[in-house]
Amino acid sequence: MISVQTECFDVSAEHARLAATPQSGAVVTFCGLVRDFNRSEGVSALTLEHYPGMTEKCLQEIEAQARERWPVNDCTLIHRVGRLEANEPIVFVGVSSAHRKAAFEACEFMMDYLKTRAPFWKKEQSDSGEHWVEAKDSDQQAAERWQQGE
Amino acid sequence: MIKVLFFAQIRELLNVGELTLELGSLSTVDEVRQALSERGEKWDFALESDRLLASVNQTICSLDSRVQPGDEIAFFPPVTGG
């Protein structure tokens, strides 16, 4: 399930939906929060911009790649857009599978790919004003390690 | 004609989110970028190719990718979601 939305999501409801898939012995979920710190302290909010249409296509592609690489039963990818306050949930990735290893790896893969392949941009509001968040090399490296051995 | 979209810092710098462009003799994404850069200093600055990403019809592509009439081209900085 893919969703790009302004409204918040319910982590326990998403977990329950994944846990209800047949033959699932493992559910791994990740929920990212808006940091109240980053390059500077005192981050009060974020505004998330995205590329409607392309974003959904990219998330579907990421899910398809995870399903190709691991025996997952179901996947959920939810990303919020618009203005979000500090500490609010921003992203949810969940996987159900027969065994934990596939669920852990597929979840981490989807998160790493989402951070480097999906057209979202963050603008932070902090004590020092507004500024766009810079892409990190460490995120790129995290995504690239999944390509080794391909 | 092609549709050209701009996102994030680039959209803000240009104060434009979307425009249409006569393709004429332009045949690649980079030729489109260069033609737009000639519109003035802020266009040249915003569309510097260093960290610029581009897509054609909502698929990320290299700057030497071909462009055809009716295509949707987008220019944007490296992504920072998650």
Side-chain angles (χ1 to χ4, degrees):
Chain A
M1 196 272 280
I2 303 293
S3 179
V4 179
Q5 60 190 51
T6 53
E7 66 271 24
C8 199
F9 46 80
D10 179 342
V11 171
S12 58
E14 295 305 331
H15 184 282
R17 203 182 61 78
L18 289 162
T21 54
Q23 307 283 308
S24 290
V27 175
V28 170
T29 66
F30 170 80
C31 177
L33 307 176
V34 175
R35 292 191 190 103
D36 58 0
F37 65 95
N38 198 16
R39 196 175 68 177
S40 56
E41 293 294 315
V43 175
S44 56
L46 274 185
T47 305
L48 260 293
E49 180 171 333
H50 77 122
Y51 181 173
M54 181 170 168
T55 313
E56 290 81 356
K57 264 174 68 172
C58 286
L59 296 182
Q60 279 159 9
E61 175 62 24
I62 291 166
E63 180 186 348
Q65 286 189 35
R67 285 178 180 276
E68 245 174 56
R69 295 172 73 133
W70 290 277
V72 302
N73 294 338
D74 203 2
C75 300
T76 301
L77 263 171
I78 304 173
H79 206 298
R80 294 178 68 195
V81 292
R83 184 184 162 91
L84 304 177
E85 304 300 320
N87 302 314
E88 277 195 67
I90 179 171
V91 62
F92 177 90
V93 176
V95 178
S96 58
S97 184
H99 302 286
R100 71 179 184 279
K101 191 166 188 290
F104 270 122
E105 288 182 1
C107 186
E108 195 170 15
F109 166 86
M110 287 200 291
M111 196 60 220
D112 286 343
Y113 265 42
L114 182 152
K115 283 190 84 78
T116 53
R117 309 284 167 93
F120 293 102
W121 300 275
K122 284 178 185 153
K123 190 179 201 182
E124 276 180 359
Q125 285 88 51
S126 73
D127 295 343
S128 58
E130 281 193 337
H131 57 264
W132 290 97
V133 174
E134 294 281 329
K136 287 191 217 142
D137 290 342
S138 57
D139 287 336
Q140 194 58 42
Q141 286 154 11
E144 281 169 7
R145 82 197 150 103
W146 296 105
Q147 294 168 341
Q148 287 162 10
E150 277 185 355
Chain B
M1 299 290 277
I2 56 168
K3 184 155 94 170
V4 186
L5 306 176
F6 307 102
F7 290 97
Q9 296 95 311
I10 295 171
R11 176 185 50 73
E12 274 191 352
L13 278 163
L14 299 176
N15 202 24
V16 175
E18 180 178 335
L19 54 80
T20 53
L21 190 69
E22 192 65 61
L23 202 50
S25 61
L26 306 174
S27 62
T28 67
V29 173
D30 200 46
E31 286 174 14
V32 172
R33 182 189 71 80
Q34 286 176 36
L36 292 168
S37 295
E38 287 166 11
R39 290 186 172 200
E41 204 174 317
K42 73 175 182 182
W43 291 81
D44 189 38
F45 177 71
L47 296 173
E48 275 179 340
S49 57
D50 270 16
R51 305 257 293 164
L52 187 73
L53 298 182
S55 63
V56 174
N57 299 328
Q58 304 187 347
T59 300
I60 288 190
C61 65
S62 62
L63 289 178
D64 60 6
S65 297
R66 309 290 295 177
V67 180
Q68 296 182 324
D71 281 349
E72 178 178 293
I73 315 297
F75 291 108
F76 45 83
V79 303
T80 55

